[in-house]
Amino acid sequence: MGLPFVLMGRGWRRRRQWFDGYWQPRFPGQLSGQRFTVEPLADGQFELEGERLQVVELGHTDTDSTSALYVPGTGLVVAGDAVYGDVHLYLAESMGGGSERWLEALDTIEGLHPSTVVSGHKRDGDADRPDDIGRTRRYIEDFSAALRRAANHQELYDSMLALYPDRMNRGVLWNSVKAVFA
């Protein structure tokens, strides 16, 4: 039995066809056939097992319209695409103020004073720690500074690898540097 697939709003038939054609072959027998439609939360909150959970709209992080889930009673933030662990950040959409908006989103998460932060992209088994917020911030700032100095995408790529040689997913870094020089 696999996880159910959420179908949202108009166009759900097209999304189901895409889902079935793309994901089912990659995970044969692992995905549930159960489908359901969700509705937006009226007040951005819901309760689960006696805990209030709050959706925090973040705006642009690694892409537009991202959000996090905050559990005030425990200090938990499930940061989704806003916070990265030891993985190169997807910065292909960072131009035109995207980096600045991502930094503002990190300010929003920090303002929650979380005790636990689940990064959306991290190494398997890494701890869920608030200092990933600062590590994500430093990476964005380092990328922006390296971009100002770089003459081309290769120089930017090499600069970021020199700063972060052990981070995972160099392909994302390569795609990001190519995009910002496009």
Side-chain angles (χ1 to χ4, degrees):
M1 171 122 189
L3 296 174
F5 177 61
V6 178
L7 300 170
M8 297 175 13
R10 295 177 44 192
W12 66 268
R13 284 186 177 88
R14 189 170 17 92
R15 281 191 289 282
R16 179 167 183 170
Q17 288 172 340
W18 176 85
F19 179 84
D20 288 343
Y22 185 84
W23 290 110
Q24 291 289 1
R26 287 165 173 76
F27 297 95
Q30 298 176 48
L31 303 175
S32 171
Q34 179 184 1
R35 305 291 189 261
F36 57 93
T37 302
V38 297
E39 298 294 327
L41 297 169
D43 62 358
Q45 299 181 35
F46 61 99
E47 191 172 301
L48 178 65
E49 297 181 358
E51 290 287 342
R52 181 174 58 91
L53 286 78
Q54 178 180 337
V55 175
V56 179
E57 299 295 337
L58 298 172
H60 184 88
T61 59
D62 68 357
T63 193
D64 290 336
S65 303
T66 59
S67 59
L69 188 63
Y70 176 49
V71 185
T74 65
L76 168 69
V77 171
V78 180
D81 289 341
V83 178
Y84 280 55
D86 198 27
V87 178
H88 288 286
L89 277 62
Y90 175 74
L91 288 159
E93 299 178 32
S94 64
M95 300 308 288
S99 292
E100 292 79 10
R101 290 192 309 274
W102 194 340
L103 294 171
E104 291 168 4
L106 294 174
D107 291 342
T108 299
I109 295 171
E110 283 179 326
L112 299 171
H113 307 290
S115 58
T116 305
V117 175
V118 179
S119 298
H121 302 275
K122 65 179 187 170
R123 289 182 188 271
D124 187 31
D126 276 0
D128 298 319
R129 54 187 191 246
D131 65 329
D132 279 347
I133 301 167
R135 293 172 70 214
T136 301
R137 179 182 306 283
R138 279 188 299 284
Y139 189 102
I140 294 167
E141 292 167 346
D142 288 343
F143 188 92
S144 296
L147 175 60
R148 286 190 297 274
R149 293 187 305 269
N152 57 52
H153 68 274
Q154 186 66 55
E155 283 184 21
L156 179 55
Y157 182 79
D158 293 341
S159 295
M160 291 306 292
L161 281 185
L163 291 170
Y164 299 97
D166 299 323
R167 280 200 177 213
M168 293 176 47
N169 208 351
R170 290 180 177 193
V172 165
L173 173 60
W174 181 253
N175 291 337
S176 295
V177 303
K178 292 286 284 190
V180 301
F181 273 97

